[in-house]
Structures are given as C-alpha cells and as structure tokens.
Amino acid sequence: MTETFRPDSEAALRDAIAEARDGEKRLEVRGQGTKRGYGRPVATDAVLSLDGLSGITYFDAGELVMEAQAGTPLAEIETALEDANQRLAFEPGDLGALYGAPGGGTIGGVFACNVSGPRRPFAGAARDHLLGLRAVSGRGEVFAAGGRVVKNVTGYDMGKLLAGSLGTLAVLSTVTFKVLPRPEAERTILLFGEAAHEGLGALQLAAAGPWDISAGAHVDGAAAARSSVSYVAGASTPVTAVRLEGARGAVAERCEALRRSLAEIAPTEELHTHNSRTFWRELRDGALLPAEEGGNAMLWRLTVPPADSAMMLDRLSRVCAGDVLFDWIGGLAWFAVRPKGSAPGETLAARIHRAAAEGGGQAVLMRGADSLRARVAVFGEPAPALLGLTRRLKENFDPRGILNPGRMFEGL
C-alpha cells in the first residue's frame, strides 16, 4: 500500500517534505486527484495529499481579494464568491472531467496547473490573478511571495514561476488572488452551419468589433450534440458561439447589434443568462469533447495566436484526421485523434508538436494512455536554453528531485 502524507498545517507540510527529502522518497503531490492524467506519469514512493490544508482564510469582498489554503475545493471558493455576487475572472474548468475523475479540483491545483477557461483572452490566465503565495520547496523550506494587494508583488514574481509548474518545484500551502464582480447579465449569440474556417472568421470579426465580447468558440456538430442546451444540441450543424457580459441594458444593445452583423453570415440564435452559463461551463470543463478512451487515443491542446488558428487547422489536417474544437476566439484548439499502433502514436506526437510550433504556438498532450505519455514529449521538446534553465530551477528548488519527478520533462 502506498504511503500517504496528509499534513493539516503548513508546518506539517514542511515536516512531511523534509522527511521525504531526508529519506529520498519521491512524492506525488495531489489535491483531489482530478488532474493526475495531466503531464507525464510519475513513479513515486508516496503520496503527498493536500486535502487537509483546506479553508478560506481571508475574503475582503470590497477589496476583491480572497486567500485560501491550497487544498480548498474549487467548489467552496466558487460558492463563497457566488454568495458575494463575485467570481474568478479567469474561469477555471474542472479538468477532472477529461480523465473520468470529476470533482472540481482544488484552488492550489488551479494555480499549480495555471488552469484558465474561455475568458482567458480577455481577463488573463490564472497566474495573472495570483497576488501572493506561501509554499514549501523540495528542500523543505517555507517561503512567501507577494501579498494581499498588487503593490506587494515586487522583486522576482514567484507566482508566475510556480503557476504552471505542476508541483515540480514547490508545494503551495496558501494562495491569495484577485476576484471580480459578477456581471448583471450574460448572453451568447449562436451562429449555425458555418464550417471551421468560416466560424473562425466570424470569431475574428466579433473580437475586432466594438461589441466588447468576453468569449468566442467554434464546435463541430458532434461536439454540439453533447451539450445539454437544446438550442446547441439540436442544431445538427457546427456552432459558433460569442458571449457578451455586463449591465443588462448594455448587453441587450450590444447583442442586438452584433447579431445583426452575424446574421449576414448565417442563421443565429441567442442564449440568455442560464443557458449561456451552462454552455460555457460545458465548454470550460471539456464536456463537449469526446469521452476518454483507452489505448493510444490522444487529446491535444494547441495554443496559437488567434489570427493564425485557420492556418493551424490546415496544418493539422495534413498531419491526420481528428475532431477539432476551438476556444479563446480560435487561440485554443482541442484536437482528438486515435492513431493506430504504438510507434505511429509517437510519430504523430512529433508531427503535432511541429504543426503547433510552425505557427508560433505550443501543443500539449492532455490525455492519453500512461504508456503513451511516458514515451512521447507531452509538452514538446524544449529548446536547449529553456531545458537548461528548467534544470537549474529544479536543482535550486528541489535538488533531490522528490516533487512530482518527471511530470513535465523526463529526468526532471
């Protein structure tokens, strides 16, 4: 049976990591376990569970600042914000839905993986809202950075470094972050029947105009059919979606004007607040993506500048066939494909990484069998200079390599 450390305080977290350091025990850092399939599989000797480090420790609704222990369930954070008519502006999703382990995850996991949803192009990523943190390095040393106000974020921006490091450098104990008021109204315009290239063009039109949109996505007919929103599921065609938020009257006026412009392209429909929130939550959580499959099935997440999304689609079509769903007004593509055989899977991964890199973007293998993720470069092959910097950071923060070893890159 795998040994599990379950600290209930920062001091206990420090002691657990120090014990693992001294015993050279490799640790799998885990919140609710909803993101275990993200990154490379790790071979560890024990589990470091953060579910005992839970609870909101500070919330000033007037100052739009919240602080919580890293193991606090994301659902608890969102409930507290909902009660105050506020929200997390970067709209983090439940990645556990991609791996058959839904549960919402923890606020520490959100920042450790830099999880950001449909509002990302307009509100920034999770790391952009991280004001301060406390953490324990692989050396067993507690350190802090930032604070409860923006002016406290001076010197080295440790938040930017640790956000997205997947717990390979240090384990977050407490995070402090900005929140924002929830808008009074939300509407989504649906554009029906447009193929991917035309849908991406419509998204660019909406983003470049005076309508102040807050999200834009394009899904094919199969993805639309997975929605619980009847207007979307019943379309039987590809659907392009554009969201507007703000004061009720202003949203209604902007929505009417944008819908007139888009109606010249294809038939439109409109979702109001409840259905609109449902649709974007489904998109955010991966509910419109194909279900998890075994074998060498791959689910990729590719990011490129939104203006280059159509060219990336062309490059992907030359690599292989697959289902593609676009978010971030085209800047994020989810690409689901099933190669045949193990060797083709490795070859295909290299081709997909190259297709993203040619457009100035990045490809990440978000879902695949453990055996496949152990063989391929999940995050791509880093440039020698970047790999050298990553290695030096790992040696500085975690010299004995006990925290999530190899989760991002082999040997680190």
Side-chain angles (χ1 to χ4, degrees):
M1 184 176 179
T2 303
E3 181 180 7
T4 299
F5 294 96
R6 187 168 277 110
D8 57 3
S9 67
E10 184 178 81
L13 174 62
R14 178 199 61 211
D15 293 345
I17 292 178
E19 179 182 336
R21 174 204 64 203
D22 294 341
E24 297 189 351
K25 294 180 180 178
R26 297 164 298 175
L27 298 174
E28 177 192 349
V29 184
R30 187 188 304 175
Q32 292 186 342
T34 59
K35 304 175 185 65
R36 293 189 71 198
Y38 181 35
R40 301 179 69 255
V42 297
T44 55
D45 305 301
V47 172
L48 177 60
S49 174
L50 301 183
D51 57 9
L53 285 172
S54 182
I56 297 171
T57 53
Y58 177 84
F59 180 29
D60 189 328
E63 293 296 326
L64 302 174
V65 174
M66 179 178 280
E67 179 182 274
Q69 294 188 85
T72 307
L74 181 59
E76 182 178 334
I77 301 290
E78 292 180 328
T79 296
L81 292 175
E82 183 81 31
D83 291 343
N85 202 30
Q86 296 179 350
R87 67 182 183 186
L88 295 170
F90 54 93
E91 206 169 0
D94 178 8
L95 292 186
L98 298 181
Y99 309 114
T106 63
I107 191 63
V110 164
F111 284 108
C113 296
N114 197 31
V115 180
S116 310
R119 204 176 288 108
R120 166 68 176 86
F122 307 96
R127 65 182 185 180
D128 299 313
H129 296 261
L130 186 58
L131 293 175
L133 61 87
R134 292 183 63 84
V136 182
S137 71
R139 295 176 179 272
E141 298 171 345
V142 177
F143 63 94
R148 291 178 177 173
V149 294
V150 174
K151 66 177 67 176
N152 281 344
V153 184
T154 58
Y156 293 111
D157 195 338
M158 300 297 290
K160 293 290 196 302
L161 175 63
L162 296 184
S165 65
L166 277 63
T168 59
L169 301 177
V171 181
L172 296 170
S173 59
T174 303
V175 289
T176 307
F177 45 94
K178 294 181 292 184
V179 300
L180 287 179
R182 184 176 295 278
E184 183 181 23
E186 171 183 327
R187 294 192 187 186
T188 294
I189 299 172
L190 304 177
L191 189 69
F192 298 110
E194 294 296 281
H197 282 83
E198 290 73 22
L200 290 170
L203 292 179
Q204 294 299 311
L205 171 68
W211 300 288
D212 192 23
I213 70 172
S214 68
H218 176 84
V219 302
D220 62 18
R226 299 184 186 105
S227 176
S228 64
V229 178
S230 59
Y231 281 123
V232 179
S236 302
T237 67
V239 175
T240 305
V242 178
R243 182 176 65 188
L244 301 94
E245 299 174 299
R248 196 174 306 279
V251 168
E253 291 178 6
R254 286 156 43 214
C255 190
E256 181 181 356
L258 177 54
R259 191 171 177 183
R260 282 198 303 268
S261 294
L262 295 178
E264 298 176 3
I265 301 174
T268 66
E269 189 49 80
E270 189 174 310
L271 304 179
H272 288 206
T273 300
H274 175 74
N275 282 334
S276 177
R277 288 181 180 175
T278 299
F279 170 78
W280 293 103
R281 184 171 60 249
E282 291 174 339
L283 183 73
R284 177 198 75 180
D285 292 348
L288 305 185
L289 296 167
E292 182 178 19
E293 300 180 57
N296 286 326
M298 292 177 167
L299 177 64
W300 290 86
R301 181 180 182 270
L302 298 95
T303 52
V304 296
D308 296 333
S309 54
M311 288 188 289
M312 181 180 66
L313 180 60
D314 291 337
R315 287 191 294 270
L316 288 177
S317 67
R318 292 194 294 268
V319 170
C320 68
D323 299 325
V324 184
L325 180 156
F326 285 94
D327 196 357
W328 296 4
I329 56 173
L332 168 63
W334 292 96
F335 183 43
V337 62
R338 173 182 279 277
K340 295 181 179 179
S342 58
E346 295 176 53
T347 303
L348 178 58
R351 291 175 179 171
I352 292 174
H353 281 302
R354 186 163 56 250
E358 287 173 353
Q362 182 191 27
V364 176
L365 178 57
M366 293 295 293
R367 190 174 68 200
D370 285 356
S371 58
L372 178 64
R373 291 185 294 113
R375 292 195 309 271
V376 306
V378 170
F379 296 92
E381 296 290 352
L386 178 59
L387 182 60
L389 175 60
T390 302
R391 191 179 303 278
R392 290 193 296 274
L393 285 169
K394 180 70 171 176
E395 291 171 351
N396 184 55
F397 279 86
D398 182 22
R400 298 194 182 181
I402 65 170
L403 299 179
N404 279 347
R407 188 166 185 185
M408 295 191 71
F409 302 108
E410 186 175 4
L412 289 179

